[in-house]
Every structure is written in C-alpha cells, then in structure tokens.
Amino acid sequence: MASVPHDDNYCAGGAGQLGQPIPPEPAPFPPFPVLNSERIYDSPWVGLRRDTLALPGGAVQEHHVVEISPAVVIVPVLEGGTIAFVGQFRHALQTTRWELPAGRLATGEDPGDGARRELLEETGLAVGELQPLPGFHPTGGISPHYAHAFLALGCRRVCAPNPDPSELLLQREFTRAEAEALLDAGQLTDGFTALALMYALRGGLSD
Amino acid sequence: MASVPHDDNYCAGGAGQLGQPIPPEPAPFPPFPVLNSERIYDSPWVGLRRDTLALPGGAVQEHHVVEISPAVVIVPVLEGGTIAFVGQFRHALQTTRWELPAGRLATGEDPGDGARRELLEETGLAVGELQPLPGFHPTGGISPHYAHAFLALGCRRVCAPNPDPSELLLQREFTRAEAEALLDAGQLTDGFTALALMYALRGGLSD
C-alpha cells in the first residue's frame, strides 16, 4: 500500500490562519480485520486487490482497493503573475480540458523533486520557490492514492515542453481572474486542478 | 464508460461572478485510436480494462482505465448555520478522518435524489434546498469516475443515521470557521470533502 503522508507544513500549530482553533481529528475506529486479501491485478500503472473484511456485528464483506502510486499537482505562477495551464487530452474521459500540470512520482522520488520534474516536462518552466499546499486522497473510499500539491512561484520558461508521447498538451497562461472565472463556471472539472488552485487562492495568491 | 456530465447550472452564461469573461475550452485533440481493449476485471464496485492506443508518431502504448460508478458529495448546512461532517473509517487508507457525506449513485439514480438519500442514510438529515456545485473527475488521468457535488441548505435532523454496515461513522457539526480551520490546516485530506467545501465557501456560504 502507498504511504499516507500528512501535510503538516501548510499551517503548523494549533490555530488556523484566523486564529480559529483547529478541531481535533475524530476518535479513530479500530480497523476492520482482514480475513483474506486476493491480488487481482498488478502493473506499474495500477494494482487491484480484493480484501475480505470482518465487519462489526459479524458480517463479512468484500472490499476492493485500487492501488495507484503517489502523484503531484503544481500551481505554476509566472514572474508576471499569470498561472500556467495545459490543455490536456485524457483518454479515460475522451476530452481535452484545461488542467494544472500534474503527474505520477517515480518510485522513491521526493515530491518536490517530482513537482519540478513534471512542471519542466509539461511546460518548460523552472520554479523559483516551491511551497507545499495541503495534499489529498482523490478517491479515499477505494484507493490509498495520494496527491501532493505545490504552489510554484517565480516560474520562468527555460526550455520547450518535452512531454511523454502519450501526453497531448497545449500551453496557456491565465490571469488569476481568468482562472477563477473557469473555476466558478465549473469548467475545471479535473479534481486535482480545482483543488490545488483553490488551496493556492485561499493562501492569498495575488493578482 | 460512465457519462461525463457538465455542470452548467453553477454559473450559466459567458461571464463569471465578477463579470470576468470565461476563457473558452481548449481546442480538442483527436482521440487516440484504440487498437485493442481487454477486460481485466468486472464487479459492481470497480471495473478495470487495458486499452492499447495508437499514439501520434506511430508508437503503441497500453493505457489502463479504472471504471467506478458516479458518486455524490454533499455540503450539508443546518438551519443554525453549522456544517454536518462525519468521522469515517476508510479501509483503503486505514484512517478515520472528518469527511463530508458522500457515496455512490445507484444505477440510473438522479444525482439530486442520490444526494438526499446518502445524506439521510449517513446523518439522518433532510434537505431544505439542494443547490448544485461544480462536479469533478477525481482521477481523470486513469478513470472516467465523476463526482456530483451539492450544497444542501436548511438541513434538519429527521431520524437517526442508518449507514451501511461497512460504514463506521461519527456525527459532528462544525461552524464555518471551524471547517475553514480544518481545511487550512490540511486536515481535510479527503479530496471530495475539500473540493466540495471550497466550492461552497466560494459561492458565499454564510456563517
């Protein structure tokens, strides 16, 4: 199972940005005992297993777990203040939509290193300052998959994009107001994109 | 493949909330021709297939697609203004975290009906007014899975929660300030929760 890191860099300490105390975590439930675990599929891109769980009360239930390696998503802000997006074709969706640069980490790769690598590959941008944003489990009900998120400030174009042959990408910069208009219109349907952008905006990303 | 609905209720028309024009969608890339598609696994909970794609330039690449039925996530606001969360154990993560109520739609179920059903099952709350928020693809790089999001206003407790035996749930209400403190501390690591909550907050959810 992939590790489940906890972003405690974003707002350390016992109070939030406005001095509001941070409510504690819920009291943890004891894990369901796993009676059996069957490997259904393995590949470098996705694994699938079927666990048989003993539920409280005595029932037994199958529970599928989709295994996907950790990912990274980046909000790249150029020196002039615009935000770099890519127009990306997604085979799973059969659509081309505006997204923030994102990708999988290599095995053992540091998330910050992976963010710099993915950004350079997809956009040709080098990062000035990389700041962690809260990460997230995109589909925690069925997968331990975790996405690390970063705000990349002071980005500069240093080379041409060099994406993977399976990645069809357009380059485009939006002002913060344009990015917010896309968000509020419901056009940023990529969850990684909408979530990382909103964390960046909450953190005070300026125009 | 699951359908890919488009939320155009959130902000209809050609301009965003601040009158900013909404940038157009990117020019669509032509889909990759699918040379072969193998069924790897089928179940009511998750399907997996392996497509063989013809990439531009002549290369051939395998691409996995994880099939998960559409889901719904709800931001339930009680008449007094607090937001109802559940403390939920997730087997895939082996953790108990604060989340917004969410779940899968039944086959053919209307998303609004599914939102009301899931909310009642998980919390015992009935909805006053249900407003659509932008939906999203949690993991569009590998799955057409789509999540519908709703803001549920004027919620009232009408019965005890009646969750599925596999769902271990705590009930808790947070003020908007407490929910924002959890968000900014990076403690709402469930992507559905953080994304739907931020859309609700952007829409002006009042204290």
Side-chain angles (χ1 to χ4, degrees):
Chain A
M1 183 180 291
S3 66
V4 181
H6 185 81
D7 271 312
D8 51 11
N9 297 3
Y10 191 65
C11 187
Q17 294 183 334
L18 303 174
Q20 174 71 34
I22 301 166
E25 300 285 354
F29 289 102
F32 298 123
V34 179
L35 304 178
N36 188 35
S37 185
E38 297 171 72
R39 298 293 324 162
I40 293 170
Y41 187 70
D42 285 293
S43 78
W45 285 98
V46 62
L48 182 61
R49 70 175 201 265
R50 185 172 50 209
D51 291 347
T52 305
L53 307 179
L55 302 185
V60 168
Q61 191 173 78
E62 287 187 347
H63 193 301
H64 294 82
V65 179
V66 178
E67 299 163 338
I68 306 173
S69 53
V72 66
V73 54
I74 308 106
V75 185
V77 183
L78 281 85
E79 289 175 330
T82 54
I83 304 171
F85 280 70
V86 291
Q88 181 152 15
F89 174 72
R90 293 293 192 177
H91 170 68
L93 306 174
Q94 295 286 297
T95 60
T96 304
R97 308 301 292 266
W98 296 121
E99 297 187 5
L100 291 172
R104 301 278 189 93
L105 295 179
T107 305
E109 186 177 32
D110 172 78
D113 292 345
R116 292 174 188 274
R117 178 186 52 73
E118 281 288 345
L119 186 62
L120 191 67
E121 285 174 9
E122 293 196 359
T123 66
L125 290 169
V127 177
E129 181 191 354
L130 202 62
Q131 297 180 354
L133 297 169
F136 50 93
H137 297 105
T139 50
I142 196 167
S143 178
H145 183 43
Y146 186 82
H148 301 265
F150 290 95
L151 176 60
L153 296 172
C155 292
R156 290 173 297 110
R157 298 205 176 275
V158 293
C159 59
N162 183 29
D164 186 85
S166 68
E167 293 179 311
L168 296 182
L169 297 177
L170 292 168
Q171 303 293 323
R172 173 121 184 215
E173 296 170 23
F174 293 109
T175 64
R176 172 178 162 155
E178 287 174 324
E180 292 199 70
L182 282 167
L183 194 59
D184 291 330
Q187 286 181 221
L188 298 182
T189 53
D190 175 65
F192 281 43
T193 295
L195 193 39
L197 179 62
M198 282 200 278
Y199 272 126
L201 293 170
R202 283 185 67 79
L205 180 59
S206 62
D207 267 313
Chain B
M1 182 181 293
S3 65
V4 180
H6 186 80
D7 273 310
D8 50 11
N9 297 4
Y10 191 66
C11 187
Q17 293 183 335
L18 303 173
Q20 174 72 34
I22 301 166
E25 300 285 355
F29 288 102
F32 298 122
V34 179
L35 304 178
N36 188 37
S37 186
E38 297 171 71
R39 297 296 319 163
I40 293 170
Y41 188 69
D42 285 293
S43 78
W45 285 98
V46 61
L48 182 61
R49 71 174 201 267
R50 185 173 49 208
D51 291 348
T52 305
L53 307 179
L55 302 185
V60 169
Q61 190 172 76
E62 288 186 346
H63 194 300
H64 294 82
V65 178
V66 178
E67 299 162 338
I68 306 173
S69 53
V72 66
V73 55
I74 308 106
V75 185
V77 183
L78 282 86
E79 288 174 331
T82 54
I83 305 170
F85 279 71
V86 291
Q88 181 153 16
F89 175 72
R90 293 293 192 177
H91 171 68
L93 305 175
Q94 295 286 297
T95 59
T96 304
R97 307 302 292 268
W98 296 121
E99 297 187 5
L100 290 172
R104 300 277 188 94
L105 295 179
T107 305
E109 186 176 32
D110 171 77
D113 292 344
R116 292 174 189 274
R117 177 186 52 72
E118 282 288 346
L119 186 63
L120 192 66
E121 286 174 7
E122 294 196 359
T123 67
L125 290 169
V127 178
E129 181 190 353
L130 202 62
Q131 297 181 353
L133 297 170
F136 51 93
H137 296 105
T139 49
I142 196 167
S143 178
H145 183 44
Y146 187 81
H148 301 264
F150 290 95
L151 176 61
L153 296 172
C155 292
R156 289 174 296 109
R157 297 204 177 276
V158 294
C159 60
N162 183 29
D164 186 86
S166 68
E167 294 179 311
L168 297 182
L169 297 177
L170 291 169
Q171 303 294 323
R172 173 119 185 218
E173 296 170 23
F174 292 109
T175 64
R176 172 179 161 156
E178 286 174 323
E180 292 200 70
L182 281 167
L183 194 59
D184 290 331
Q187 285 182 222
L188 298 182
T189 52
D190 175 64
F192 281 44
T193 295
L195 193 39
L197 179 63
M198 282 199 278
Y199 272 126
L201 292 170
R202 283 185 68 79
L205 179 60
S206 62
D207 267 314

